[in-house]
Amino acid sequence: MISLDQVEDQLKRVGCNFRFWNRPEIKELRSILVSGEVIAQATNGRYENGFALLVATNLRLLLIDKKPMFLALEDIRFDMISEMDYSGQVLEGTVRIMTPNRKLVFSSWNQGRLRIILNYAQQRVTELRQHFIEQQFYQTQRRDNHYAVPAVGSIALQTSRRGQFNPYTNMPLTMRRRRIPKFY
């Protein structure tokens, strides 16, 4: 457990100085963060159960909602995120984060911070997936001792002669055709 001063220093470093709002959530954040975990960005807003704090760290996304006699924590690891959507309106921005078993919809009045959280999360998800794909590729290459086309999930990866690959080539495409009945 890290101290409250360390949490506040990390929040000030990223430009989040919550003096009145989210004080219970920040106090709870100090017991949630593990040693070595660094806050990348934070913003306050609302989700399906009320007002909360959304925090992006170098390891995960955290949603903290602390009220008297009530605590809600959402711990979303970057490798579990399957889809992220953002929509901006005049007064607020909304981010939808989908995992295989959960959908989180979070709205904030500070659209700039919400976009920074979204961009950071997208970058971390991409880094983790790229690392996993490269690890899978090199394990297959060592085992076969020649260039191969490893399968990761349902995505087939193609390699070039230099050993580099592009995960976006020859991706499976799902198409639906609609038959239109002919009326004579």
Side-chain angles (χ1 to χ4, degrees), residues 29 39 41-43 53-57 60-64 117:
L29 185 61
I39 297 173
Q41 190 58 258
T43 189
L53 179 69
L54 182 67
V55 179
T57 69
R60 56 194 170 161
L61 284 174
L62 296 167
L63 179 87
I64 306 163
I117 290 173

Side-chain angles (χ1 to χ4, degrees), residues 22 74 81 91 93 169:
N22 300 104
E74 294 281 337
I81 295 174
L91 296 176
T169 58

Side-chain angles (χ1 to χ4, degrees), residues 22 28 35 47 62 72 76 94 97 104 112 126 146 155-156 167 174:
N22 300 104
E28 188 65 33
S35 63
Y47 74 117
L62 296 167
I76 303 170
T94 302
I97 302 168
L104 174 68
T126 304
H146 65 282
I155 300 173
T174 304

Side-chain angles (χ1 to χ4, degrees), residues 48-107:
E48 61 191 12
N49 291 335
F51 194 69
L53 179 69
L54 182 67
V55 179
T57 69
N58 59 341
L59 302 176
R60 56 194 170 161
L61 284 174
L62 296 167
L63 179 87
I64 306 163
D65 183 10
K66 175 90 167 141
K67 294 180 177 65
M69 307 209 23
F70 175 78
L71 174 64
L73 295 173
E74 294 281 337
D75 181 352
I76 303 170
R77 306 287 173 162
F78 290 120
D79 57 350
M80 292 298 296
I81 295 174
S82 60
E83 185 177 341
M84 293 188 302
D85 298 322
Y86 175 82
S87 63
Q89 296 84 25
V90 175
L91 296 176
E92 69 179 8
T94 302
V95 65
R96 288 172 190 80
I97 302 168
M98 275 70 85
T99 63
N101 57 0
R102 180 89 168 100
K103 178 180 178 183
L104 174 68
V105 179
F106 186 82
S107 299

